[in-house]
Amino acid sequence: AYDQVKNLLKVSDILSECLNEYNDTNAMMDLVLFDDAVRHVARIVRIVRNEGGHALLVGVGGSGKQSLARLAAFICGYSVF
């Protein structure tokens, strides 16, 4: 179960902290967490946390799909290979 987010700024702050923690333990990932990126990471986390959850990220090259997926995996405690 999950709750609807009422304050996107609060989520953005939490994701920034997660990104800083990711950067402390992995190769530096310099992301700008604008509103759409925050929403996408939240969706990816929600999807992959479900049992058997998987997603196909579609977009033009260089749009940040892999970086957002790596951040989401880190938040969930998963390793990326």
Side-chain angles (χ1 to χ4, degrees):
Y2 57 91
D3 295 326
Q4 183 176 1
V5 173
K6 306 270 194 249
N7 187 350
L8 197 59
L9 185 59
K10 192 174 190 179
V11 176
S12 181
D13 290 342
I14 293 169
L15 286 181
S16 292
E17 290 176 24
C18 291
L19 179 59
N20 289 334
E21 190 176 321
Y22 176 90
N23 287 336
D24 289 343
T25 58
N26 297 285
M28 179 69 171
M29 188 164 51
D30 190 25
L31 286 179
V32 176
L33 294 172
F34 53 93
D35 289 351
D36 283 340
V38 170
R39 288 184 184 105
H40 289 314
V41 172
R43 282 186 198 111
I44 296 167
V45 167
R46 179 174 45 88
I47 291 168
V48 298
R49 275 211 171 151
N50 288 323
E51 185 176 338
H54 56 279
L56 176 64
L57 305 180
V58 179
V60 296
S63 62
K65 298 179 299 290
Q66 186 176 30
S67 298
L68 295 181
R70 284 183 186 277
L71 180 58
F74 176 78
I75 291 168
C76 293
Y78 300 146
S79 60
V80 177
F81 52 91

